[in-house]
PDB file of all heavy atoms in Angstrom:
ATOM      1  N   GLY A1484      21.831 105.660 184.433  1.00 91.00           N
ATOM      2  CA  GLY A1484      21.707 107.002 183.891  1.00 91.00           C
ATOM      3  C   GLY A1484      21.871 108.087 184.974  1.00 91.00           C
ATOM      4  O   GLY A1484      21.595 109.272 184.621  1.00 91.00           O
ATOM      5  N   LYS A1485      22.410 107.743 186.095  1.00 92.00           N
ATOM      6  CA  LYS A1485      22.586 108.771 187.143  1.00 92.00           C
ATOM      7  C   LYS A1485      23.916 109.539 186.963  1.00 92.00           C
ATOM      8  O   LYS A1485      24.075 110.631 187.488  1.00 92.00           O
ATOM      9  CB  LYS A1485      22.639 108.066 188.530  1.00 92.00           C
ATOM     10  CG  LYS A1485      21.363 107.293 188.883  1.00 92.00           C
ATOM     11  CD  LYS A1485      20.143 108.183 188.963  1.00 92.00           C
ATOM     12  CE  LYS A1485      18.909 107.450 189.376  1.00 92.00           C
ATOM     13  NZ  LYS A1485      17.685 108.330 189.499  1.00 92.00           N
ATOM     14  N   GLU A1486      24.855 108.945 186.258  1.00 92.00           N
ATOM     15  CA  GLU A1486      26.134 109.591 185.950  1.00 92.00           C
ATOM     16  C   GLU A1486      26.457 109.449 184.497  1.00 92.00           C
ATOM     17  O   GLU A1486      25.939 108.524 183.810  1.00 92.00           O
ATOM     18  CB  GLU A1486      27.263 108.983 186.791  1.00 92.00           C
ATOM     19  CG  GLU A1486      27.160 109.240 188.289  1.00 92.00           C
ATOM     20  CD  GLU A1486      27.511 110.654 188.651  1.00 92.00           C
ATOM     21  OE1 GLU A1486      27.999 111.426 187.746  1.00 92.00           O
ATOM     22  OE2 GLU A1486      27.373 110.999 189.875  1.00 92.00           O
ATOM     23  N   LYS A1487      27.320 110.302 183.975  1.00 90.00           N
ATOM     24  CA  LYS A1487      27.729 110.228 182.618  1.00 90.00           C
ATOM     25  C   LYS A1487      29.232 110.395 182.515  1.00 90.00           C
ATOM     26  O   LYS A1487      29.827 111.063 183.295  1.00 90.00           O
ATOM     27  CB  LYS A1487      27.041 111.308 181.759  1.00 90.00           C
ATOM     28  CG  LYS A1487      25.507 111.099 181.635  1.00 90.00           C
ATOM     29  CD  LYS A1487      24.889 112.146 180.689  1.00 90.00           C
ATOM     30  CE  LYS A1487      23.404 111.903 180.579  1.00 90.00           C
ATOM     31  NZ  LYS A1487      22.756 112.941 179.702  1.00 90.00           N
ATOM     32  N   LEU A1488      29.823 109.873 181.394  1.00 92.00           N
ATOM     33  CA  LEU A1488      31.217 110.091 181.106  1.00 92.00           C
ATOM     34  C   LEU A1488      31.304 110.997 179.889  1.00 92.00           C
ATOM     35  O   LEU A1488      30.927 110.630 178.761  1.00 92.00           O
ATOM     36  CB  LEU A1488      31.905 108.754 180.777  1.00 92.00           C
ATOM     37  CG  LEU A1488      32.028 107.736 181.924  1.00 92.00           C
ATOM     38  CD1 LEU A1488      32.597 106.469 181.429  1.00 92.00           C
ATOM     39  CD2 LEU A1488      32.782 108.302 183.073  1.00 92.00           C
ATOM     40  N   ARG A1489      31.781 112.236 180.093  1.00 90.00           N
ATOM     41  CA  ARG A1489      31.888 113.199 178.982  1.00 90.00           C
ATOM     42  C   ARG A1489      33.384 113.372 178.605  1.00 90.00           C
ATOM     43  O   ARG A1489      34.014 114.305 179.099  1.00 90.00           O
ATOM     44  CB  ARG A1489      31.294 114.555 179.492  1.00 90.00           C
ATOM     45  CG  ARG A1489      29.838 114.392 179.921  1.00 90.00           C
ATOM     46  CD  ARG A1489      29.310 115.756 180.432  1.00 90.00           C
ATOM     47  NE  ARG A1489      27.953 115.701 180.906  1.00 90.00           N
ATOM     48  CZ  ARG A1489      27.611 115.310 182.092  1.00 90.00           C
ATOM     49  NH1 ARG A1489      28.482 114.917 182.991  1.00 90.00           N
ATOM     50  NH2 ARG A1489      26.234 115.268 182.422  1.00 90.00           N
ATOM     51  N   LEU A1490      33.871 112.439 177.761  1.00 87.00           N
ATOM     52  CA  LEU A1490      35.226 112.430 177.484  1.00 87.00           C
ATOM     53  C   LEU A1490      35.526 112.859 176.054  1.00 87.00           C
ATOM     54  O   LEU A1490      36.681 113.259 175.730  1.00 87.00           O
ATOM     55  CB  LEU A1490      35.842 111.003 177.698  1.00 87.00           C
ATOM     56  CG  LEU A1490      35.607 110.411 179.094  1.00 87.00           C
ATOM     57  CD1 LEU A1490      36.211 109.015 179.112  1.00 87.00           C
ATOM     58  CD2 LEU A1490      36.251 111.304 180.112  1.00 87.00           C
ATOM     59  N   ARG A1491      34.559 112.783 175.133  1.00 85.00           N
ATOM     60  CA  ARG A1491      34.780 113.086 173.708  1.00 85.00           C
ATOM     61  C   ARG A1491      35.188 114.516 173.503  1.00 85.00           C
ATOM     62  O   ARG A1491      34.566 115.443 174.043  1.00 85.00           O
ATOM     63  CB  ARG A1491      33.516 112.796 172.928  1.00 85.00           C
ATOM     64  CG  ARG A1491      33.696 113.035 171.417  1.00 85.00           C
ATOM     65  CD  ARG A1491      32.487 112.589 170.676  1.00 85.00           C
ATOM     66  NE  ARG A1491      32.134 111.130 170.875  1.00 85.00           N
ATOM     67  CZ  ARG A1491      31.099 110.511 170.317  1.00 85.00           C
ATOM     68  NH1 ARG A1491      30.218 111.187 169.673  1.00 85.00           N
ATOM     69  NH2 ARG A1491      30.964 109.224 170.589  1.00 85.00           N
ATOM     70  N   GLY A1492      36.288 114.739 172.770  1.00 85.00           N
ATOM     71  CA  GLY A1492      36.710 116.057 172.430  1.00 85.00           C
ATOM     72  C   GLY A1492      37.488 116.814 173.540  1.00 85.00           C
ATOM     73  O   GLY A1492      37.825 117.948 173.363  1.00 85.00           O
ATOM     74  N   ARG A1493      37.808 116.113 174.628  1.00 89.00           N
ATOM     75  CA  ARG A1493      38.512 116.745 175.741  1.00 89.00           C
ATOM     76  C   ARG A1493      39.923 116.138 175.796  1.00 89.00           C
ATOM     77  O   ARG A1493      40.196 115.063 175.354  1.00 89.00           O
ATOM     78  CB  ARG A1493      37.775 116.439 177.046  1.00 89.00           C
ATOM     79  CG  ARG A1493      36.344 116.913 177.039  1.00 89.00           C
ATOM     80  CD  ARG A1493      35.595 116.506 178.282  1.00 89.00           C
ATOM     81  NE  ARG A1493      35.989 117.240 179.492  1.00 89.00           N
ATOM     82  CZ  ARG A1493      35.514 117.056 180.695  1.00 89.00           C
ATOM     83  NH1 ARG A1493      34.567 116.152 180.883  1.00 89.00           N
ATOM     84  NH2 ARG A1493      35.964 117.766 181.695  1.00 89.00           N
ATOM     85  N   LYS A1494      40.823 116.972 176.341  1.00 88.00           N
ATOM     86  CA  LYS A1494      42.257 116.565 176.532  1.00 88.00           C
ATOM     87  C   LYS A1494      42.322 115.506 177.623  1.00 88.00           C
ATOM     88  O   LYS A1494      42.032 115.831 178.802  1.00 88.00           O
ATOM     89  CB  LYS A1494      43.143 117.759 176.845  1.00 88.00           C
ATOM     90  CG  LYS A1494      43.193 118.730 175.687  1.00 88.00           C
ATOM     91  CD  LYS A1494      44.154 119.876 176.028  1.00 88.00           C
ATOM     92  CE  LYS A1494      44.262 120.853 174.854  1.00 88.00           C
ATOM     93  NZ  LYS A1494      45.152 122.026 175.177  1.00 88.00           N
ATOM     94  N   LEU A1495      42.663 114.352 177.285  1.00 90.00           N
ATOM     95  CA  LEU A1495      42.619 113.223 178.245  1.00 90.00           C
ATOM     96  C   LEU A1495      43.955 112.999 178.932  1.00 90.00           C
ATOM     97  O   LEU A1495      44.082 112.059 179.810  1.00 90.00           O
ATOM     98  CB  LEU A1495      42.192 111.892 177.516  1.00 90.00           C
ATOM     99  CG  LEU A1495      40.826 111.906 176.856  1.00 90.00           C
ATOM    100  CD1 LEU A1495      40.526 110.583 176.186  1.00 90.00           C
ATOM    101  CD2 LEU A1495      39.684 112.303 177.803  1.00 90.00           C
ATOM    102  N   ARG A1496      44.958 113.745 178.631  1.00 89.00           N
ATOM    103  CA  ARG A1496      46.243 113.536 179.287  1.00 89.00           C
ATOM    104  C   ARG A1496      46.218 113.566 180.792  1.00 89.00           C
ATOM    105  O   ARG A1496      46.799 112.679 181.411  1.00 89.00           O
ATOM    106  CB  ARG A1496      47.232 114.569 178.768  1.00 89.00           C
ATOM    107  CG  ARG A1496      48.668 114.384 179.299  1.00 89.00           C
ATOM    108  CD  ARG A1496      49.584 115.395 178.729  1.00 89.00           C
ATOM    109  NE  ARG A1496      50.988 115.220 179.327  1.00 89.00           N
ATOM    110  CZ  ARG A1496      52.024 116.021 179.018  1.00 89.00           C
ATOM    111  NH1 ARG A1496      51.855 116.962 178.101  1.00 89.00           N
ATOM    112  NH2 ARG A1496      53.147 115.803 179.578  1.00 89.00           N
ATOM    113  N   PRO A1497      45.510 114.506 181.416  1.00 87.00           N
ATOM    114  CA  PRO A1497      45.465 114.483 182.894  1.00 87.00           C
ATOM    115  C   PRO A1497      44.911 113.187 183.428  1.00 87.00           C
ATOM    116  O   PRO A1497      45.384 112.701 184.471  1.00 87.00           O
ATOM    117  CB  PRO A1497      44.592 115.642 183.227  1.00 87.00           C
ATOM    118  CG  PRO A1497      44.730 116.601 182.074  1.00 87.00           C
ATOM    119  CD  PRO A1497      44.833 115.691 180.896  1.00 87.00           C
ATOM    120  N   LEU A1498      43.885 112.644 182.754  1.00 90.00           N
ATOM    121  CA  LEU A1498      43.336 111.376 183.208  1.00 90.00           C
ATOM    122  C   LEU A1498      44.274 110.227 183.015  1.00 90.00           C
ATOM    123  O   LEU A1498      44.356 109.308 183.891  1.00 90.00           O
ATOM    124  CB  LEU A1498      41.961 111.121 182.479  1.00 90.00           C
ATOM    125  CG  LEU A1498      40.806 111.969 182.868  1.00 90.00           C
ATOM    126  CD1 LEU A1498      39.561 111.445 182.120  1.00 90.00           C
ATOM    127  CD2 LEU A1498      40.477 111.856 184.357  1.00 90.00           C
ATOM    128  N   VAL A1499      45.011 110.256 181.943  1.00 91.00           N
ATOM    129  CA  VAL A1499      45.995 109.170 181.709  1.00 91.00           C
ATOM    130  C   VAL A1499      47.099 109.190 182.781  1.00 91.00           C
ATOM    131  O   VAL A1499      47.478 108.160 183.243  1.00 91.00           O
ATOM    132  CB  VAL A1499      46.630 109.401 180.263  1.00 91.00           C
ATOM    133  CG1 VAL A1499      47.787 108.340 180.130  1.00 91.00           C
ATOM    134  CG2 VAL A1499      45.582 109.191 179.152  1.00 91.00           C
ATOM    135  N   VAL A1500      47.538 110.349 183.135  1.00 91.00           N
ATOM    136  CA  VAL A1500      48.525 110.511 184.184  1.00 91.00           C
ATOM    137  C   VAL A1500      48.040 109.927 185.488  1.00 91.00           C
ATOM    138  O   VAL A1500      48.738 109.185 186.232  1.00 91.00           O
ATOM    139  CB  VAL A1500      49.001 111.959 184.396  1.00 91.00           C
ATOM    140  CG1 VAL A1500      49.918 112.090 185.583  1.00 91.00           C
ATOM    141  CG2 VAL A1500      49.689 112.477 183.161  1.00 91.00           C
ATOM    142  N   LEU A1501      46.761 110.274 185.829  1.00 90.00           N
ATOM    143  CA  LEU A1501      46.136 109.748 187.061  1.00 90.00           C
ATOM    144  C   LEU A1501      46.080 108.205 186.994  1.00 90.00           C
ATOM    145  O   LEU A1501      46.304 107.507 187.989  1.00 90.00           O
ATOM    146  CB  LEU A1501      44.748 110.279 187.202  1.00 90.00           C
ATOM    147  CG  LEU A1501      44.632 111.736 187.883  1.00 90.00           C
ATOM    148  CD1 LEU A1501      43.183 112.106 187.940  1.00 90.00           C
ATOM    149  CD2 LEU A1501      45.306 111.762 189.266  1.00 90.00           C
ATOM    150  N   GLY A1502      45.695 107.663 185.775  1.00 91.00           N
ATOM    151  CA  GLY A1502      45.568 106.263 185.623  1.00 91.00           C
ATOM    152  C   GLY A1502      46.837 105.535 185.804  1.00 91.00           C
ATOM    153  O   GLY A1502      46.843 104.354 186.153  1.00 91.00           O
ATOM    154  N   ILE A1503      47.973 106.181 185.470  1.00 92.00           N
ATOM    155  CA  ILE A1503      49.301 105.592 185.667  1.00 92.00           C
ATOM    156  C   ILE A1503      49.755 105.664 187.135  1.00 92.00           C
ATOM    157  O   ILE A1503      50.242 104.711 187.699  1.00 92.00           O
ATOM    158  CB  ILE A1503      50.339 106.296 184.818  1.00 92.00           C
ATOM    159  CG1 ILE A1503      50.008 106.028 183.275  1.00 92.00           C
ATOM    160  CG2 ILE A1503      51.775 105.809 185.081  1.00 92.00           C
ATOM    161  CD1 ILE A1503      50.862 106.790 182.304  1.00 92.00           C
TER     162      ILE A1503
END
Side-chain angles (χ1 to χ4, degrees):
K1485 302 296 183 180
E1486 293 285 354
K1487 294 182 179 180
L1488 296 175
R1489 302 175 180 85
L1490 305 179
R1491 183 176 299 179
R1493 304 174 70 180
K1494 294 182 179 180
L1495 301 181
R1496 182 178 177 180
L1498 286 183
V1499 173
V1500 173
L1501 280 179
I1503 294 173

